[in-house]
Amino acid sequence: MKVVSQIKDPVILEMELFEKKFRESMSSKVALLNRITYYIVNRKGKQMRPMFVFLTAKLLNNGEVNERTYRGASIIELIHTASLVHDDVVDESNKRRGFFSINALWKNKIAVLVGDYLFSKGLLLSLDHGDFDLLRIISVAVREMSEGELLQIEKARRLDIVEDVYYDIIRQKTATLIAACCSMGACSVKPDSEEVETFRKFGEYCGMAFQIKDDLFDYGNQQIGKPTGIDIKEQKMTLPLIHVLNTCSKTEKKWLINSVKNHNRDKKRVKEVIQFVKDQGGLDYAENKMHEFKRLALDILLTYPQTNYRDSLELMVNYVVDRKK
């Protein structure tokens, strides 16, 4: 059994019903919009985020979920999908999960409007049912995601990033949405409880480990959906690079910054940068940090009784750091 199938197993019925409810939540009276949302739904990924919502809710509520849990999962998926559509416009990306992106097929203007529509659907889904606590969770996540992206752009221009700022960026840009999934799951079944914050932290630690794993892919040789060295080409400051920048000599630092800023399109130079970061222990350092975040997440889980929901969440945390793409 594949790991993702194992993770999904305790919530398989909920995920099937969720898919139906999610399709309904995207419907519109505009034919063009329905055509585009149909295209999106039929090219979905592993749907890890809704799984986080359902597994957390079932762990905390004796294996039971409610309508708020389904709405929470739909809100998360709508906002996540909207952010992906907008990201592809910003990054001028023509592919998403091996298929053409919305902006590639329907152009930027329509892609931006579709993203806006999905955002509004997510917010209205919570408002229409008076789920103000769920609305607050997702609104904070959207604000943080925007701030994280802008902070990354600002720092990429100057390449003056330190480790603490990097953690701020990935916490806001990536981890905040996974944190929202877990706190949403907790809030749907146990509103106003300590668990809402506990599982927000759990999701945040998972998200931090997830992003560091993504950083490490940039230095790998296997084909993982993005070409090796792409973060360097885009002047994105990843943890292996930051660590080496802050520990190497002044001359080496000057060469590194010059390479990333002015020679990021030179394949030979990018290979040299990758090798230098490896030789200076950047990858080992980042891997250790990734495992620290994984341990923090597992420490939270292990305070709860052992059930198949906890087992699945443990599998999820391990999958985050063991995945091959």
Side-chain angles (χ1 to χ4, degrees):
M1 200 186 213
K2 275 184 153 179
V3 177
V4 177
S5 303
Q6 274 181 275
I7 293 167
K8 197 176 188 175
D9 196 49
V11 290
I12 195 140
L13 296 175
E14 286 80 7
M15 288 298 290
E16 283 170 9
L17 184 53
F18 160 73
E19 294 224 356
K20 186 170 170 284
K21 288 176 182 281
F22 183 59
R23 281 172 191 268
E24 287 167 6
S25 70
M26 284 177 115
S27 65
S28 150
K29 290 175 183 167
V30 180
L32 172 61
L33 202 44
N34 284 335
R35 197 152 70 243
I36 295 169
T37 54
Y38 179 81
Y39 179 83
I40 291 169
V41 168
N42 285 333
R43 280 151 192 83
K44 62 185 182 299
K46 298 184 189 79
Q47 294 190 297
M48 301 304 256
R49 286 161 188 83
M51 278 190 251
F52 268 122
V53 177
F54 288 117
L55 286 166
T56 303
K58 292 188 94 170
L59 174 70
L60 296 174
N61 200 37
N62 301 316
E64 298 293 321
V65 298
N66 56 32
E67 280 304 312
R68 271 164 55 86
T69 316
Y70 285 103
R71 287 199 294 275
S74 292
I75 292 162
I76 287 284
E77 198 67 350
L78 283 161
I79 300 294
H80 175 55
T81 308
S83 71
L84 295 182
V85 172
H86 281 168
D87 279 354
D88 287 340
V89 175
V90 172
D91 298 339
E92 297 174 354
S93 175
N94 291 323
K95 286 284 180 83
R96 166 70 61 183
R97 298 183 186 122
F99 297 97
F100 284 113
S101 57
I102 304 302
N103 48 302
L105 292 172
W106 284 281
K107 306 299 176 208
N108 283 351
K109 185 177 181 179
I110 287 175
V112 170
L113 292 169
V114 168
D116 291 347
Y117 172 77
L118 296 172
F119 267 122
S120 68
K121 274 293 213 184
L123 302 177
L124 284 168
L125 185 58
S126 50
L127 273 176
D128 289 346
H129 294 89
D131 297 323
F132 299 111
D133 47 357
L134 304 187
L135 178 63
R136 180 171 181 76
I137 289 168
I138 199 62
S139 299
V140 168
V142 171
R143 182 197 70 203
E144 294 213 320
M145 284 157 67
S146 310
E147 283 180 355
E149 287 286 357
L150 288 163
L151 182 58
Q152 184 175 51
I153 291 166
E154 179 196 324
K155 293 298 176 183
R157 285 178 177 161
R158 302 213 302 267
L159 296 186
D160 63 347
I161 193 162
V162 291
E163 212 170 301
D164 285 349
V165 174
Y166 164 82
Y167 292 133
D168 280 344
I169 290 170
I170 68 167
R171 182 183 57 75
Q172 291 181 306
K173 194 175 78 98
T174 304
T176 194
L177 193 61
I178 297 174
C181 296
C182 300
S183 57
M184 194 81 91
C187 193
S188 71
V189 293
K190 289 203 168 182
D192 303 319
S193 68
E194 283 179 16
E195 266 94 357
V196 178
E197 174 58 17
T198 300
F199 275 86
R200 186 199 66 76
K201 276 186 188 159
F202 165 75
E204 187 176 284
Y205 295 143
C206 286
M208 301 290 273
F210 181 92
Q211 186 55 54
I212 296 171
K213 180 68 172 184
D214 255 18
D215 285 3
L216 288 163
F217 281 143
D218 204 44
Y219 296 86
N221 296 318
Q222 69 268 55
Q223 201 54 40
I224 41 82
K226 67 172 184 177
T228 301
I230 198 165
D231 288 337
I232 294 166
K233 291 185 186 106
E234 292 174 1
Q235 295 188 39
K236 280 183 185 163
M237 298 298 282
T238 58
L239 187 55
L241 182 61
I242 291 162
H243 174 69
V244 171
L245 272 172
N246 292 325
T247 52
C248 65
S249 70
K250 273 188 181 176
T251 313
E252 289 165 335
K253 186 173 182 174
K254 200 174 173 185
W255 173 80
L256 260 183
I257 289 175
N258 183 35
S259 302
V260 175
K261 262 194 169 174
N262 305 315
H263 303 281
N264 53 46
R265 300 281 160 192
D266 179 340
K267 283 183 181 174
K268 184 173 173 287
R269 190 75 167 256
V270 168
K271 269 189 177 174
E272 285 171 9
V273 168
I274 288 172
Q275 195 55 52
F276 181 74
V277 170
K278 283 180 178 175
D279 293 344
Q280 295 292 310
L283 269 64
D284 293 339
Y285 181 83
E287 267 192 35
N288 287 335
K289 285 290 177 186
M290 175 182 75
H291 284 291
E292 273 179 37
F293 284 116
K294 171 187 144 178
R295 278 194 296 275
L296 287 168
L298 289 175
D299 285 348
I300 289 174
L301 271 188
L302 296 175
T303 62
Y304 289 85
Q306 196 266 323
T307 59
N308 52 350
Y309 315 117
R310 195 190 82 175
D311 290 348
S312 273
L313 284 168
E314 276 186 61
L315 264 179
M316 187 90 92
V317 177
N318 287 308
Y319 173 74
V320 159
V321 300
D322 296 336
R323 65 200 165 99
K324 297 287 181 275
K325 63 179 179 178

